[in-house]
Amino acid sequence: MNSAKFTEKKYIIVLSFVTSLFFFWAIALTMGDVLNKHFQNVLHISKAKSGLVQLSIFGAYALMGIPAGLFMKKFGYKKGVILGLVLFASGAFLFVPAADNSSFTFFRVALFILALGMATLETVAHPFVAALGDERTSDQRVNFAQSFNGLGAIMGPLLGGIFIFGGSGEDSSLDSVKSLYTWIGVIVLVLAIIFFFIKVPELKDPHAEEIELAEHAAGENHETAVDSSAPLWKQKHFVWAVVAQFFNVAAQGGTWAFFINYGVEKMHFQETEASYYFSLSMAMMMIGRFIGTFLMKYIAPNKVLAIFTACNIVLCLIISQSFGWVSFISLILLNLFLSVMYPTIFSLGLKKLGGKVAQASSFLVMAMFGGAFFTPIMGVIAEKDVAHSYLLPIICYVIIVLFALKFYKPKTSK
């Protein structure tokens, strides 16, 4: 059992604020999946084309990961958070002219800028949370923070159901979108102002601390599997974490993008009702992260990751067979087991990287491009049968299981 403290008293205020960021960007991320279906209706586009919503969002992650990491390395965690919040708010405000012009392209530009902010926040927030305490409990802190990401993910579909699908016509629906994102922009901008006045205690990267201890022990034993001075591409566990994260977000992006389509086409729900079930599935994600955080006190994080991933392989097989409520409940439960994947892969990938944590975090955020790559492919299959499209994520889960069981251990290639 891990006896290290979860965090220290001096970090509580900052940890609370940074944890709240996970909540807000989750709202925006899952709202994109509601927009995915809404644009099919209002702007009369296909499922495959609506998948470009995810390309706009996750494409921003691919482009912003490294710049955000470099900015964080030069100016620190606090200014990195403020930059992310300002970009986030700017993208939200651009929904106003996009709605006024009823332009799918303009909406995608707004989503892209908003996602640049989300990508910056993700790049900064994960190592930030990891640094707010002992390295031995960094997995627990990241999963705890991601639990509130799950809460935000519940609110996204709920707000979408109320404000987006709740409109009485095309114009009113777009007006509702405009109003909702204006409020999101205002709230996020206020958060940036508040954080500007919060004092951040001096931090020492806990991963760097562990490297020092590991190298000291290695000096005594004359051998080590980790060379902290080696470039990132020689850190095998990190490279595999990037690969695993790419496929994890690929599976996640496709799962979320066509959830409402599945509810409408297979269960014959109204879109508003399907969005509420989507919100329920996000509640499963929040519950899963709290469960995962608890289990990691007694079971190694990589083993929890392997077990949860194997469960999703079984669930995807059931979903693909269109067994009515059995398959739909399985679709809802996917998020229960998806819950620990992103934060655990992220945290395992950062282990024993020393001063390269900021740079490594950038690449792990860039790996979210998997969501842009995979979703349009699922959309093509979904045009024929949305249930069959859920066979594709199984490929992703097999790769994640390999990482969790074999390639997660910190090791430097020669």
Side-chain angles (χ1 to χ4, degrees):
M1 186 184 299
N2 194 342
S3 59
K5 288 184 178 180
F6 182 77
T7 189
E8 297 176 38
K9 187 176 180 180
K10 63 181 178 179
Y11 297 138
I12 290 177
I13 293 176
V14 177
L15 179 61
S16 299
F17 185 91
V18 177
T19 297
S20 75
L21 300 179
F22 286 74
F23 171 81
F24 286 106
W25 82 60
I27 290 178
L29 186 60
T30 54
M31 197 88 72
D33 298 298
V34 176
L35 289 171
N36 200 65
K37 176 59 177 170
H38 182 62
F39 288 151
Q40 293 172 29
N41 298 341
V42 177
L43 302 176
H44 311 294
I45 59 177
S46 67
K47 293 186 185 73
K49 190 172 182 180
S50 73
L52 295 177
V53 168
Q54 275 67 33
L55 177 61
S56 300
I57 294 172
F58 294 115
Y61 276 82
L63 291 175
M64 194 61 183
I66 289 178
L70 292 173
F71 185 91
M72 173 176 63
K73 187 174 182 179
K74 184 173 182 179
F75 297 105
Y77 292 124
K78 181 174 181 176
K79 290 182 180 178
V81 167
I82 292 172
L83 173 65
L85 290 172
V86 170
L87 286 170
F88 193 139
S90 299
F93 288 135
L94 282 176
F95 269 70
V96 175
D100 288 340
N101 288 277
S102 299
S103 169
F104 182 54
T105 300
F106 209 148
F107 274 118
R108 287 185 59 204
V109 171
L111 281 167
F112 179 79
I113 293 172
L114 186 150
L116 290 176
M118 290 162 52
T120 302
L121 291 175
E122 291 229 34
T123 303
V124 176
H126 285 89
F128 201 172
V129 168
L132 293 170
D134 195 294
E135 191 276 342
R136 290 171 293 176
T137 53
S138 64
D139 300 293
Q140 293 177 41
R141 280 193 303 281
V142 173
N143 272 279
F144 177 76
Q146 281 282 354
S147 299
F148 290 89
N149 187 269
L151 180 60
I154 295 170
M155 296 301 298
L158 281 176
L159 291 171
I162 295 169
F163 288 95
I164 296 176
F165 289 139
S168 58
E170 292 187 7
D171 290 336
S172 62
S173 293
L174 287 177
D175 284 342
S176 297
V177 169
K178 180 168 64 175
S179 176
L180 176 58
Y181 275 85
T182 298
W183 276 108
I184 290 173
V186 169
I187 292 170
V188 170
L189 197 57
V190 169
L191 281 174
I193 294 170
I194 292 172
F195 194 58
F196 179 81
F197 293 101
I198 292 178
K199 184 177 180 181
V200 177
E202 186 177 350
L203 301 174
K204 183 176 181 181
D205 189 345
H207 296 86
E209 289 180 358
E210 186 183 316
I211 279 290
E212 292 171 7
L213 292 172
E215 289 179 340
H216 177 71
E220 295 177 351
N221 297 325
H222 305 290
E223 59 177 295
T224 181
V226 180
D227 177 8
S228 64
S229 64
L232 284 176
W233 61 271
K234 286 193 173 184
Q235 308 290 352
K236 287 187 176 181
H237 71 293
F238 164 74
V239 173
W240 269 95
V242 171
V243 173
Q245 200 69 286
F246 178 92
F247 284 99
N248 166 51
V249 180
Q252 175 182 287
T255 295
W256 294 358
F258 301 108
F259 185 103
I260 293 175
N261 284 103
Y262 195 103
V264 171
E265 296 173 22
K266 295 296 180 178
M267 303 303 295
H268 310 294
F269 296 140
Q270 294 296 317
E271 286 148 354
T272 302
E273 186 179 4
S275 71
Y276 293 156
Y277 277 110
F278 184 33
S279 182
L280 175 62
S281 77
M282 290 302 175
M284 295 297 104
M285 175 164 280
M286 182 180 68
I287 291 168
R289 280 177 175 155
F290 281 119
I291 292 172
T293 301
F294 173 78
L295 289 176
M296 286 176 193
K297 292 182 179 180
Y298 307 98
I299 304 173
N302 69 294
K303 292 181 180 178
V304 174
L305 176 62
I307 293 168
F308 276 41
T309 307
C311 289
N312 267 8
I313 292 175
V314 175
L315 290 174
C316 279
L317 289 171
I318 297 171
I319 294 164
S320 69
Q321 299 308 304
S322 302
F323 291 143
W325 275 102
V326 173
S327 290
F328 191 65
I329 290 171
S330 296
L331 178 58
I332 292 172
L333 289 176
L334 271 183
N335 274 339
L336 180 71
F337 300 105
L338 265 170
S339 60
V340 305
M341 294 184 194
Y342 184 87
T344 306
I345 293 170
F346 207 110
S347 186
L348 289 172
L350 294 181
K351 295 289 188 184
K352 299 187 177 181
L353 294 182
K356 295 184 176 65
V357 166
Q359 183 185 6
S361 179
S362 298
F363 284 105
L364 285 165
V365 168
M366 287 177 65
M368 291 185 70
F369 184 67
F373 167 78
F374 209 66
T375 307
I377 299 174
M378 281 189 69
V380 172
I381 298 174
E383 291 286 355
K384 297 181 179 179
D385 191 326
V386 69
H388 290 168
S389 70
Y390 280 86
L391 288 170
L392 281 181
I394 293 175
I395 299 170
C396 304
Y397 294 135
V398 169
I399 292 170
I400 296 169
V401 168
L402 283 174
F403 168 72
L405 294 180
K406 186 174 181 181
F407 300 111
Y408 73 95
K409 292 181 180 180
K411 186 176 181 181
T412 304
S413 60
K414 297 181 180 179

